[in-house]
Amino acid sequence: MFGLDSSLFWWLRGLVFLFTWREKSGFSKAHDADMFTNTEPDVTKTMVFIRHGESDWNEVFNKEKYLLLPRLFFGLLREFTKCFQSQDSVFLDSPLSAEGCDQAEELRKFLFDTKNDKTKNISVRVAQQDTPEQSKLVCSNLRRGVHTGLIGLFPRLERNTGEKILLLAELQEMSRNVDTESITNQGEVPVVEVVDRCIGQPSAQWLDASKNTGNKAICKSALPRFNAFCEWACQQKQETVVVAAGHSLWFKEFFKLYLPQKSTHKSKKDKMLNCASVSFTLCQAKDGQGVNTGWYIKEQTIAEDYLGFKKSSKKSLKKKIGMFVGLSMFIGLIAVLFQYQYVSMTGVCTTGVYALRGGSVVFLVASLVAAGMYTCAGKSLGKLMAISFYAFIFYMLAIYAPTWCGSSETIVAAAVDATVVVADVVEAAAETIAEVVTEL
């Protein structure tokens, strides 16, 4: 049972893990995979890595940063209500979000689209044609990985009677964040109500928890888990091992470990996108002296079957210049209004303060409701109104700062001076950038 007591225990454990995290220890001293590439491999396996869809944690912390505070506010409210429910949490072992479920469904549509070339796309082939004797399905013991694997591959599970996805604790994400903590006990399967709602039928029947050894240990390196997974994969009778699904940091560290150190492949520095699928060949071999056994990835076999790796999103120079110019105009306008006393902060603070403060409370409630709409339903109006949450914060500072820091006149004078200075600096920067662009 996952009630209040269990929630407090898992949160306490997560915080302890946060401050005692040592999973990266030993990675810098690991063998260079290149030392195993000069001998004939003993075992060769085709691997398919599928990343999970967006989780509730990703939605709160990793999406548009200006929505962080309102999303965190609602996330904490949801977390409090889930403390009294069975085996559930927003942040601990974070499940798929609504968008994450949609991403998993898009993955399923791609994998089982008969128009895709099954001879060249390994992910499509294992989904549409393979049997349990040809490829082995495994996944992380974290809920978002389990949910993605079930939603994305359930047509294959339905087709192959008796096939199940094996939960491997070795695939648990490596990070100090509490969302990488598993709340599923050893030998048990996680709650899959999210999946049941998506596919319209019970899905726990397709999970095998016999290899789920429970949560990862505190103050331990994750390196043994990687080597243990490689050893396990190479022992399987199936030609292909499908990780459906795993995690971005775990996958990135896997590529960094088992690609030669001299390799500059993007998989070593870029995360896989949500629900992306990547295939490659993993080899087990001995070193030149025949002493050590290790594993390496054949770099030329890495294929981005679906979506692939995340590309860095850099705004164009034109957009940056536009932002600078727009910001300078906005700050300059405010400065002019204050400078020529078109707006009197003193009058606002003395005559209409109660009405404004009362209105600000209504404004705050409206903005939070709108932010909640966007968080839960993805409404554009909610996205726009969520920005008002931050506008409210600045507004409250403007209203209350005079009573905290001194007289209204002093605050206004300081604000005018600072605004004019900032406007001049931003305007000068925009002009400089424009001149550089013109010269180019």
Side-chain angles (χ1 to χ4, degrees), residues 66-78:
Y66 57 85
L67 291 171
L68 175 59
L69 285 182
R71 277 183 169 149
L72 181 59
F73 177 84
F74 277 97
L76 292 173
L77 285 181
R78 292 171 58 203

Side-chain angles (χ1 to χ4, degrees), residues 204-215:
Q205 58 180 319
W206 293 317
L207 296 176
D208 178 2
S210 61
K211 296 292 184 179
N212 180 16
T213 55
N215 209 357

Side-chain angles (χ1 to χ4, degrees), residues 210-228:
S210 61
K211 296 292 184 179
N212 180 16
T213 55
N215 209 357
K216 55 187 179 181
I218 296 176
C219 295
K220 295 290 185 181
S221 170
L223 183 58
R225 290 199 281 128
F226 284 79
N227 290 333

Side-chain angles (χ1 to χ4, degrees), residues 352-378:
V353 64
Y354 294 110
L356 288 170
R357 289 176 181 173
S360 68
V361 173
V362 176
F363 185 57
L364 172 62
V365 174
S367 65
L368 286 175
V369 171
M373 287 173 56
Y374 176 69
T375 300
C376 299

Side-chain angles (χ1 to χ4, degrees), residues 392-413:
F392 165 78
I393 293 176
F394 291 116
Y395 168 77
M396 293 297 286
L397 288 174
I399 294 297
Y400 285 101
T403 62
W404 294 338
C405 305
S407 65
S408 300
E409 291 80 4
T410 303
I411 299 298
V412 171

Side-chain angles (χ1 to χ4, degrees), residues 56 154 160 304 415:
D56 282 339
F154 91 87
N160 298 321
E304 299 175 58

Side-chain angles (χ1 to χ4, degrees), residues 166-184:
L166 181 66
L167 275 62
L168 282 182
E170 287 80 4
L171 295 170
Q172 189 173 345
E173 177 68 303
M174 57 173 296
S175 168
R176 65 172 73 244
N177 295 333
V178 297
D179 70 317
T180 67
E181 292 281 299
S182 173
I183 60 175
T184 304

Side-chain angles (χ1 to χ4, degrees), residues 43 45 47 135-139 165-168 170-171 208 210-211 224-238 240-243 282 284 295:
V43 181
K45 292 291 181 182
M47 308 293 294
S135 55
K136 182 75 172 179
L137 301 183
V138 298
C139 72
I165 300 178
L166 181 66
L167 275 62
L168 282 182
E170 287 80 4
L171 295 170
D208 178 2
S210 61
K211 296 292 184 179
R225 290 199 281 128
F226 284 79
N227 290 333
F229 171 74
C230 289
E231 184 176 2
W232 174 88
C234 290
Q235 291 174 349
Q236 303 308 300
K237 63 180 181 180
Q238 293 89 344
T240 304
V241 174
V242 182
V243 179
L282 179 69
Q284 177 179 287
W295 302 270

